[in-house]
Amino acid sequence: MDAGLRSYRFSKAELAVFVSGIVSMGLEILAVRVVAPQFGSHIYTIGGILTVFLAALSLGYWRGGKRAAAHASTDRLVWLFLLTAVYVAVLIFARDLLLVATATIPLPARYASLPAVILLFGPPTYFLGFVSPYAAQLSQKADVGAASGHVYALGTIGSIIGSAGTTFLLIPTLSIDGVSLLFGLLLVSTALVLTVPSLPRVPVASIAVVTLLLFAAAGSGSMGYSVHGEVVHQSQTPYQELEVIDRGSERTMFLDGTRHSAKDLEDPDRHVFAYTAYFHLPYLTVDDPDEIDRALFVGGGGYTGPQSFVERDENVHVDVVEIDPEVTAAAKEYFGLEESERLEAHTGDGRQFLEESDETYDVIVLDAYKQDNVPFHLTTREFMELAKERLSDDGVLVANVISAPSGPASEFYRAEYRTMEAVFPQVYSFRTSDTGAVQNIQLVATKDDERLSQETLQERNAEREIGIDLETAVGYYEGDVDTTGAPVLEDDNAPVDSLLDPMVGQRYVIEETDGGNESETARLAEPPSARA
């Protein structure tokens, strides 16, 4: 038996099935990274990708099965692989254009990504669906069941390799274009092997043309510029697409296509995004700002918030826990992050870090939420109780929540407010824009039984020398928040995806400060109290 296994060789049909499994599943994993920057990485995008791939494969299986008896041949397999490779070249060259074009199709937000997924990945997956029934027809096994089982087993093994290899090796190592090119070359290489030993002229010439097309597409795919500006750095991390883009004097970190951190290269002290200045609100809520000695940021991004703490308070020590080490590396190279005795970066999950830590913090800033992707375990009552335990007696928790302040798109904000309210005696809310759009809303929770008024906060802002003017931030004080019908999020019941659902497709407004303005907060839209 061992000798039989050692002497076993793939037939051409079996090789075709194996490679089709690798490529089909690899493209499915890659599709998440291609589509997410335009449409988000929420459950509807992921579900849409799975649906389209399964539908395209099923259609290919069905059509291939009907045609297999009359058309199955090694030559047909060659052309199927070449057609798929041509479409991969299209994917490399024109994916951004196709993504933007399909985004204009008027569909409900939860279905918005479907046209893009269908157009970009439907045809190549459909072509690959033909391979298995053709290979079963070409199998040397006499029994239909044995032939089918053998083909499905090889295809599944290929899918396992394609899934694991793309997830754990290719995406963390190569760009989207690089991974796509690799799949394209695997397809044309397999097509070439299928022509051996006869090497007919037309298929071989076609293989050469498609290979050149793949390299041409890859060579022209990235010109170092996007609609956002000049691309300084781009990588696919195990967690997200990371880009650093310069536009004028502003340098911005994009995570999965969404602005996350920004720095003014000409004025490094400026808070480009207004909401990052709000992280200093604990200096107004505590009784004595001089007693703020230790702060923790959950989520680093460009580390602009943590660096601001260190620069403005010479007594504070800041720990930052960031799950993606490549984000921290980019912050060091492009955003001036320098670790020191007063600023330490840790790689890991924020909740796990708090569970394993015995440190006590005066401020905890929770900055790990995205508009369409929120780690639910950082939203629940159990997490808030853990954070409260790690805070000093006068400690403050700040949560940067992305949501609308009212209306249907405010469901997550109201649920998070109610959850924090179930744990902390006082919770304050500060919006960053006077529009009703999805925006950054800062929830500030304290252990103090006495509630501070907006007037008191304004007086403290005027009196205290904390190195930053928070007048506009305090002006956006929301007062009481209506949490009627909002759930308290629990570890065993945190429907975060459904709460985020109304925000899908909504415009996300990030207020920016005016360059050169002495105030550290946004003047693009003053709060109602400032206009009164």
Side-chain angles (χ1 to χ4, degrees), residues 274-282 430-432 442 470 472-473 476 521:
Y275 75 85
T276 60
Y278 288 49
F279 295 161
H280 294 265
L281 282 167
F430 302 85
R431 62 198 294 175
T432 56
Q442 307 305 307
L470 297 173
T472 301
Y476 275 124
T521 51

Side-chain angles (χ1 to χ4, degrees), residues 274-275 278 403-407 429-442 454 472-478 507-512 521-532:
Y275 75 85
Y278 288 49
S403 180
S406 60
S429 174
F430 302 85
R431 62 198 294 175
T432 56
S433 171
D434 61 359
T435 70
V438 174
Q439 58 187 270
N440 296 84
I441 303 175
Q442 307 305 307
Q454 185 178 35
T472 301
V474 176
Y476 275 124
Y477 177 94
E478 280 293 278
R507 187 169 73 100
Y508 171 28
V509 173
I510 304 180
E511 293 286 2
E512 293 192 18
T521 51
R523 299 300 183 187
L524 299 180
E526 291 190 340
S529 62
R531 294 195 299 265

Side-chain angles (χ1 to χ4, degrees), residues 131-143:
V131 174
S132 290
Y134 276 26
Q137 182 69 32
L138 296 172
S139 173
Q140 298 176 356
K141 298 184 181 297
D143 184 78

Side-chain angles (χ1 to χ4, degrees), residues 327-409:
V327 168
T328 299
K332 290 179 178 179
E333 185 170 354
Y334 301 103
F335 289 85
L337 171 63
E338 294 183 2
E339 288 193 71
S340 65
E341 293 182 355
R342 296 181 53 225
L343 176 56
E344 295 185 62
H346 308 268
T347 300
D349 174 79
R351 180 163 176 171
Q352 184 177 1
F353 180 87
L354 281 175
E355 288 173 343
E356 296 175 353
S357 173
D358 55 3
E359 294 286 351
T360 298
Y361 294 96
D362 302 301
V363 177
I364 296 178
V365 178
L366 182 57
D367 190 24
Y369 299 165
K370 296 181 182 179
Q371 178 186 4
D372 56 12
N373 186 7
V374 174
F376 86 91
H377 65 294
L378 300 180
T379 69
T380 63
R381 178 164 61 181
E382 289 84 353
F383 172 76
M384 297 303 166
E385 290 171 346
L386 173 63
K388 185 180 179 183
E389 290 177 5
R390 295 293 183 268
L391 285 169
S392 60
D393 292 340
D394 200 23
V396 182
L397 173 67
V398 180
N400 178 29
V401 174
I402 300 175
S403 180
S406 60

Side-chain angles (χ1 to χ4, degrees), residues 39 102-103 105 107 111-120:
F39 297 98
T102 54
I105 298 175
L107 288 174
Y111 307 114
S113 65
L114 284 176
V117 180
I118 292 170
L119 186 59
L120 287 167

